């Protein structure tokens, strides 16, 4: 098979994908993750047909303006595309692809890990074990709160939100949700729709963020105050959706009883005051980080580039 064109990647290509990539493209790939400016420089040097990029390297309008005219497609190894100005790319004739579906289960699994870790005080118990289990907890010490049976409110009932709901049903958790639009009955199932987030918040013993980023701050001090006291807050979506100062205050006061967070305003180098609190369980944005899922994400991003360069219309083109 003849090669479809040249691509520049901003991230190393794993061994498992190397043969495929080499068969399909003339690929310029680095041995470390590149920054936006480095990718732009490499693209101008090699004049590729496509770019393979990842989260953590913004492609705003000012960056897109610096890309060579040779580029016809850009694929990100993420479902989220809040780091890309898709309209600006499209205006320059660049089609943008992402990786929907393939990371849904891994991210929903991580979401439950965050919930359980926060609710059951995993951080302090792991610390106790790391220290050789010198502290014997008394019968009424080190107690978390039960997850089973608590009411979960989900903001964002897309693929990942629905996968979280499926898992939460296994914990016999009644599901409430807020979404731009109400789901079809077969997708909604027993979940209860709230057109107004403000109306839903007071009922959420667990609040779960599962919506895309790029739409400003959703969780403000006012909205945290609407939760029932002691609610558990879980975010595996985007840190930009949360006023972290307000969350810190709510965690300190006990208004939010515990938080499980995989995403932060600043990544890496997050606000470590969040970790100084006992009632948080934090992970470094590993929602999709399984061998199976990350491989599938890279494959899907590459499939998008292949499809566009072959003159087709792959299903993972982002339409804005
Ligand atoms: C990242 C994510 O892609 O897909 C997304 O939008 O946030 C994650 O799956 C992943 O962490 C690689 O940076």
């Amino acid at each position: 098979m003849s090669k479809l064109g040249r691509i520049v990647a901003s991230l190393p290509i794993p061994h498992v994908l190397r043969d495929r990539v080499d068969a399909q493209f003339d690929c310029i790939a680095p041995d470390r993750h590149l920054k936006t400016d480095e990718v732009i420089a490499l693209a101008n040097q090699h004049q590729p047909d496509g770019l393979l990029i990842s989260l953590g390297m913004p492609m705003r309008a000012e960056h897109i303006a610096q890309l060579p005219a040779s580029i016809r497609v850009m694929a990100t190894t993420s479902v989220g595309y809040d780091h890309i100005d898709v309209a600006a790319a499209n205006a320059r004739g660049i089609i943008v692809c992402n990786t929907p579906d393939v990371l849904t289960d891994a991210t929903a699994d991580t979401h439950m890990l965050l919930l359980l870790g926060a609710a059951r005080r995993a951080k302090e118990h792991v610390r106790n074990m790391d220290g050789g289990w010198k502290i014997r907890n008394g019968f009424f010490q080190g107690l978390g709160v039960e997850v089973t049976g608590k009411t979960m409110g989900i903001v964002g009932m897309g693929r990942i939100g629905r996968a979280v709901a499926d898992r939460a049903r296994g914990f016999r958790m009644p599901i409430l949700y807020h979404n731009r639009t109400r789901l079809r009955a077969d997708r909604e199932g027993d979940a209860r729709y709230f057109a107004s987030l403000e109306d839903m918040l007071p009922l959420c013993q667990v609040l779960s963020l599962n919506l895309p980023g790029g739409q400003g701050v959703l969780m403000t001090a006012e909205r945290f105050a609407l939760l029932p006291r002691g609610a558990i807050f879980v975010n595996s979506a985007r840190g930009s959706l949360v006023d972290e100062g307000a969350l810190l205050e709510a965690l300190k006061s006990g208004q939010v009883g515990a938080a499980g967070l995989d995403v932060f305003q600043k990544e890496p180098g997050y606000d470590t005051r969040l970790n100084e609190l006992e009632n948080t369980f934090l992970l470094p944005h590993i929602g999709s980080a399984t061998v199976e899922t990350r491989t599938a994400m890279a494959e899907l991003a590459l499939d998008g580039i292949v499809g566009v360069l072959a003159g087709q219309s792959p299903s993972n083109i982002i339409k804005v």
Side-chain angles (χ1 to χ4, degrees), residues 112-289:
M112 299 312 281
L113 173 64
L114 293 169
L115 170 56
L116 291 165
R120 300 300 294 272
R121 300 168 60 164
K123 180 164 68 183
E124 66 185 79
H125 295 310
V126 168
R127 197 192 302 131
N128 190 3
M129 295 309 282
D130 286 347
W133 196 358
K134 303 273 168 43
I135 304 160
R136 178 191 288 277
N137 277 318
F139 189 69
F140 282 113
Q141 283 175 332
L143 307 187
V145 293
E146 196 101 355
V147 167
T148 297
K150 291 283 181 322
T151 298
M152 177 185 272
I154 297 179
V155 187
M157 210 45 155
R159 286 172 280 245
I160 296 173
R162 296 199 300 276
V164 168
D166 284 346
R167 284 154 179 74
R169 286 185 182 101
F171 287 78
R172 300 197 299 277
M173 302 176 80
I175 310 294
L176 319 176
Y177 75 100
H178 169 70
N179 202 42
R180 262 177 315 180
T181 49
R182 187 168 178 171
L183 300 185
R184 297 193 316 243
D186 59 324
R187 286 200 168 156
E188 184 176 81
D190 56 2
R192 184 172 156 209
Y193 177 62
F194 285 79
S196 151
L197 177 60
E198 273 69 20
D199 288 348
M200 181 177 87
L201 290 175
L203 305 173
C204 301
Q205 291 170 300
V206 174
L207 181 69
S208 177
L209 294 198
N210 299 103
L211 68 165
Q215 38 195 323
V217 175
L218 179 95
M219 287 311 294
T220 56
E222 293 72 26
R223 285 183 170 151
F224 280 120
L226 287 176
L227 290 167
R229 189 169 172 78
I232 298 173
F233 176 65
V234 187
N235 185 8
S236 62
R238 284 292 181 268
S240 59
L241 295 164
V242 179
D243 176 341
E244 280 183 356
L247 176 58
L248 269 166
E249 289 312 312
L251 283 161
K252 278 186 201 159
S253 72
Q255 169 57 17
V256 169
L261 309 173
D262 187 46
V263 289
F264 303 87
Q265 286 271 358
K266 189 167 182 302
E267 296 180 9
Y270 76 108
D271 185 343
T272 53
R273 288 177 302 169
L274 284 165
N275 200 35
E276 285 159 19
L277 298 172
E278 284 298 335
N279 51 350
T280 56
F281 179 68
L282 311 178
L283 295 173
H285 202 148
I286 55 125
S288 63

Side-chain angles (χ1 to χ4, degrees), residues 55 77-80 103 238 285 288 294 297:
L55 206 70
T77 55
S78 59
V79 67
L103 78 179
R238 284 292 181 268
H285 202 148
S288 63
R294 286 286 168 84
M297 290 166 77

